[in-house]
Amino acid sequence: MSGIAGIIHFDGRPVQPGEVEAMTAGMHYRGPDGINHWRRGSVALGQCMLRTTPESLEENQPLTNEDESLVLVMDGRVDNWEELRRELLGKGAVLRTCADAELVLRAYEVWGRECLPHIEGDFAFVVWDARQREAFCARDRVGNRPFHYYWNGRSLVFASDVRAILSLPWIPQTQNIGVVAEYLAADWYSRDETLWRDIVRLIGAHFMTVNAAGARLLPYWTPDLQAKLPCRSDEDYVEHYLGLVTDVVRRMSRSHQPLACEVSGGLDSSAIFAMAETQRQQSKLLAPALEGYTLDFQGDAHADELGYARAVGLHLGRAIHEIAPNRRSLVWLKNYARFFKEMPEYPNHTMMRSIELVARADGSRVLLSGTGGDEWVGGGHSYYAEIIAGLRVRELWKVLRDDRRAAGVMLSSWWCIRSGVMPLLPKRVRLFLKAVVAAAAGRTVDHSYAWLDPALRNDVNRARQRNDRSLLGPTPRIGQRRQAAILLSASSLVDREMRERQTAHMGLEIRRPFWHARIIEAAIATPEHLRCRGYVNKWMHRRAMTGMLPAATLGRRSKAIFNSSFVPHWDELSELIVAEILPRRNNWVASSQIAQILNGVRNPDPLLWPDKAMWLLWSLFGVDAVLSSSYSDNPTGF
């Protein structure tokens, strides 16, 4: 299931003919298996169908109950379909099909607004409740499926993609200068706002009710920061983790077509592929076949991971498809921005299109990705702070001794000071010491945003000041600070939405096991020293994958650097910024400051991931492309 849209007028006026059809036509790429609509007076709903599971083959949307008092449009998947089905039958619900969408509709019918704790998976859906004259809108716990909406107090318009909403002539197309400022500062804080002032996101883990009295937004899930796992020893944690990830991968493998999987050769995507392949060999995989794909960066020493990917394939007895990375021109990327009304893909996303093209040609509808492993499986040395905060002197001595043996006295002492003592200091002291350390290293900790127009600079500073990372409540452990920041990260959300839009455009549904809510809950409940020990990051993950992955992958500490995907654009990008963008955007940025930044990255270091300067230049190009009327609204190729 891959796209939803709707228009609801709460003042009673009818939806005009052709309006909801224009919305679904605006994201036709999300509906290769059909586009359907439901209309009743002031309500019109649409759904673009991508069938990805065996159960979806008997599904049609919009979906109504028997008397059409409830109507559902849904983009997503229910991962606890077996348990939810049993639960609903136990409540006396009558299920006409095995489709996930009917499970959600019946869950709302049984529990009403309290249905969401019963549903696991990636989803965005709306139930129109004609009895209450109310729309119930919901998004999955971590925001893996997109949901955008416009609300003016009388009319609700919603869709998976922004461009579908903007296809309606009466929706204002006004730039959101505050979000523009965040992009140009390369600092993202707004999770609900978009580049368009009147179009917002429904935030993950929230539901919204809309009726004639107004719209009400409420959270329905937060991870329990006090939760404890049923584990006593390190091996208990490893066994619990392995069982959990195995179960999540099994549930996410459900597909009626061959399952595609990215296999970079790194720890995360390789682990997902290995788990899926093990289940395939045991006849437990919920897909008829499994294929692995990796990018061929031969000739680029910093990005080439073929040796690791081949080692994984050899270890599992499977050939992994090696595919040249996809490269797109700036013209193509500008057209992409104008078509989707969104930021163009980052080059490190665009390169994945070649895998998506081949996987789709091979018949796949689902692509498994290892993204999220760094965030939820990896860790840092904050176990020092947790030990010191607990006044566990013996344990501190043991950890210091072990780390000294592995890394030496100087490095282990630095870990203890930087990750053990500093996090326990008052915030003002931490910020001061951070600035001192950065200055000593030749860096600056600067929120002055000198390249921005003063008004935009103020917008970013206001967004930064109101950015509340304490929404999950006080973190009992120091390591949970990082996890809370990841979960509430606007940049991570934008990045995942961008990749989801890209794969949907290619006719695929991307699934990320490490971004499953159950994995996140377990990660938050896991002590930091199980994620990182001395030099060994992802310690528990490596232990769990012993035997399933080759030694070369298990012992790998390096990461590929995909700066090569950005570097080819810089000469053309620099010329474009100087010749075209700066003259028309002098109300956004200071030309002299941008010129200095351009000089600093004209010959980027291939060993460095794009830094903040590179991101803001790319954002300047992208935001200009989205908001400039000089580009065609209907470019070819989309």
Side-chain angles (χ1 to χ4, degrees):
M1 296 159 282
S2 193
I4 59 174
I7 305 168
I8 305 173
H9 294 310
F10 289 93
D11 57 6
R13 60 192 170 96
V15 176
Q16 293 300 306
E19 286 190 326
V20 75
E21 289 84 356
M23 293 181 70
T24 53
M27 50 184 188
H28 60 88
Y29 42 85
R30 288 185 176 272
D33 295 320
I35 298 176
N36 292 296
H37 307 93
W38 181 93
R39 305 173 201 81
R40 294 293 185 276
S42 60
V43 181
L45 307 176
Q47 199 259 358
C48 306
M49 179 65 75
L50 171 68
R51 302 188 191 278
T52 61
T53 68
E55 292 77 9
S56 69
L57 297 177
E58 54 180 305
E59 177 177 310
N60 290 292
Q61 292 191 47
L63 179 66
T64 71
N65 64 351
E66 285 72 13
D67 62 2
E68 292 197 354
S69 60
L70 299 177
V71 191
L72 167 81
V73 283
M74 172 177 164
D75 166 30
R77 183 192 71 256
V78 175
D79 287 339
N80 64 329
W81 72 97
E82 296 161 318
E83 295 87 344
L84 182 55
R85 185 177 184 83
R86 286 196 298 268
E87 196 174 5
L88 287 168
L89 291 173
K91 291 287 185 179
V94 177
L95 298 173
R96 299 166 295 188
T97 69
C98 293
D100 289 10
E102 184 170 11
L103 294 177
V104 172
L105 181 68
R106 299 304 186 185
Y108 180 83
E109 198 170 44
V110 169
W111 293 293
R113 297 178 182 179
E114 302 302 317
C115 65
L116 294 169
H118 299 269
I119 304 169
E120 290 184 8
D122 298 339
F123 55 79
F125 68 81
V126 174
V127 175
W128 168 243
D129 189 334
R131 299 164 301 185
Q132 304 294 326
R133 294 290 299 173
E134 181 175 274
F136 179 80
C137 315
R139 191 174 183 184
D140 65 76
R141 288 161 175 77
V142 293
N144 283 325
R145 307 304 296 175
F147 190 105
H148 300 90
Y149 69 94
Y150 164 86
W151 167 246
N152 64 4
R154 302 177 306 279
S155 299
L156 172 69
V157 180
F158 65 86
S160 298
D161 288 346
V162 165
R163 78 179 311 266
I165 298 175
L166 290 176
S167 69
L168 299 177
W170 47 274
I171 301 290
Q173 298 196 22
T174 307
Q175 67 184 31
N176 185 340
I177 196 63
V179 173
V180 169
E182 291 180 35
Y183 271 97
L184 299 181
D187 274 342
W188 295 267
Y189 300 107
S190 301
R191 291 193 298 149
D192 56 344
E193 297 185 64
T194 72
L195 284 167
W196 304 96
R197 191 174 66 191
D198 298 297
I199 299 176
V200 295
R201 295 182 183 90
L202 179 60
I203 303 170
H206 284 68
F207 72 85
M208 180 174 67
T209 58
V210 187
N211 54 39
R216 188 181 183 203
L217 182 68
L218 291 169
Y220 68 87
W221 174 83
T222 55
D224 184 359
L225 301 180
Q226 305 286 347
K228 305 289 184 183
L229 295 178
C231 306
R232 293 186 177 183
S233 66
D234 289 359
E235 290 309 312
D236 285 346
Y237 278 102
V238 171
E239 183 177 351
H240 183 274
Y241 170 78
L242 179 59
L244 175 59
V245 179
T246 300
D247 185 56
V248 168
V249 170
R250 181 188 72 85
R251 292 173 184 270
M252 282 194 165
S253 72
R254 188 166 52 119
S255 176
H256 70 291
Q257 297 283 21
L259 184 66
C261 187
E262 298 170 354
V263 191
S264 70
L267 275 166
D268 305 329
S269 62
S270 297
I272 298 301
F273 181 68
M275 287 180 175
E277 172 59 15
T278 300
Q279 293 179 34
R280 187 193 68 81
Q281 294 175 8
Q282 297 171 349
S283 300
K284 296 179 180 179
L285 192 74
L286 302 179
L290 172 69
E291 298 295 335
Y293 302 86
T294 192
L295 290 179
D296 180 354
F297 279 98
Q298 290 186 85
D300 184 347
H302 308 301
D304 187 3
E305 298 182 283
L306 277 184
Y308 291 106
R310 288 169 178 171
V312 171
L314 182 63
H315 184 80
L316 297 171
R318 291 296 307 273
I320 295 174
H321 306 282
E322 300 172 2
I323 304 167
N326 189 285
R327 303 192 188 278
R328 298 287 184 172
S329 68
L330 286 186
V331 171
W332 187 94
L333 291 163
K334 285 192 290 185
N335 283 336
Y336 178 103
R338 290 309 304 156
F339 178 79
F340 284 104
K341 313 290 187 182
E342 295 266 23
M343 279 288 293
E345 298 168 6
Y346 297 127
N348 55 307
H349 283 177
T350 302
M351 67 186 189
M352 303 300 294
R353 276 185 173 261
S354 53
I355 284 179
E356 295 156 11
L357 277 166
V358 175
R360 191 66 180 86
D362 288 345
S364 293
R365 294 291 184 94
V366 174
L367 176 66
L368 290 183
S369 171
T371 55
D374 288 342
E375 291 87 341
W376 301 111
V377 176
H381 298 99
S382 60
Y383 54 79
Y384 276 105
E386 294 178 359
I387 293 170
I388 294 171
L391 301 177
R392 303 195 298 268
V393 178
R394 288 187 178 180
E395 188 176 350
L396 177 61
W397 173 251
K398 180 180 182 299
V399 168
L400 273 170
R401 182 193 62 199
D402 292 344
D403 284 354
R404 283 173 181 171
R405 289 174 178 170
V409 174
M410 293 296 292
L411 190 53
S412 59
S413 299
W414 170 240
W415 290 339
C416 183
I417 294 170
R418 183 178 184 275
S419 302
V421 176
M422 286 185 63
L424 300 176
L425 298 174
K427 184 176 181 179
R428 288 189 177 184
V429 177
R430 294 202 310 268
L431 292 175
F432 171 76
L433 292 175
K434 185 177 180 180
V436 171
V437 171
R443 304 189 306 272
T444 58
V445 180
D446 182 17
H447 290 297
S448 64
Y449 310 114
W451 57 90
L452 287 179
D453 174 83
L456 273 66
R457 199 180 309 158
N458 291 335
D459 285 338
V460 180
N461 282 320
R462 280 193 294 268
R464 180 165 54 86
Q465 290 165 6
R466 69 173 178 262
N467 180 46
D468 187 2
R469 289 185 174 174
S470 65
L471 292 174
L472 302 184
T475 52
R477 294 188 292 103
I478 302 298
Q480 290 178 334
R481 292 178 185 172
R482 169 182 169 271
Q483 294 169 328
I486 291 170
L487 191 57
L488 300 176
S489 167
S491 61
S492 172
L493 175 62
V494 169
D495 187 79
R496 283 181 286 126
E497 284 186 345
M498 186 180 293
R499 184 76 199 281
E500 187 281 335
R501 187 166 59 248
Q502 172 181 312
T503 52
H505 185 226
M506 303 299 289
L508 292 168
E509 177 187 332
I510 189 168
R511 299 179 186 173
R512 306 175 179 94
F514 289 120
W515 274 101
H516 194 284
R518 289 171 60 203
I519 299 291
I520 293 171
E521 288 173 328
I524 288 172
T526 299
E528 192 69 13
H529 74 276
L530 291 167
R531 278 189 288 274
C532 179
R533 292 190 178 182
Y535 274 128
V536 183
N537 196 6
K538 303 181 182 178
W539 181 87
M540 183 175 66
H541 180 66
R542 294 174 196 263
R543 286 289 296 271
M545 297 306 299
T546 300
M548 207 173 290
L549 289 177
T553 302
L554 287 172
R556 184 179 178 184
R557 294 180 183 173
S558 64
K559 290 186 72 68
I561 300 170
F562 298 111
N563 213 9
S564 58
S565 64
F566 284 77
V567 171
H569 295 293
W570 287 116
D571 287 342
E572 184 182 0
L573 181 65
S574 299
E575 294 176 6
L576 181 66
I577 288 174
V578 171
E580 297 184 27
I581 297 177
L582 288 179
R584 66 171 166 256
R585 300 304 183 189
N586 56 15
N587 61 327
W588 285 358
V589 293
S591 297
S592 59
Q593 293 284 340
I594 296 297
Q596 291 180 22
I597 293 170
L598 281 168
N599 288 333
V601 297
R602 197 171 295 278
N603 296 302
D605 186 342
L607 289 175
L608 296 177
W609 180 251
D611 60 11
K612 188 169 184 175
M614 288 173 140
W615 285 122
L616 74 90
L617 291 171
W618 192 264
S619 294
L620 178 58
F621 157 72
V623 175
D624 173 76
V626 174
L627 302 178
S628 175
S629 60
S630 63
Y631 305 130
S632 170
D633 285 337
N634 295 291
T636 59
F638 295 99

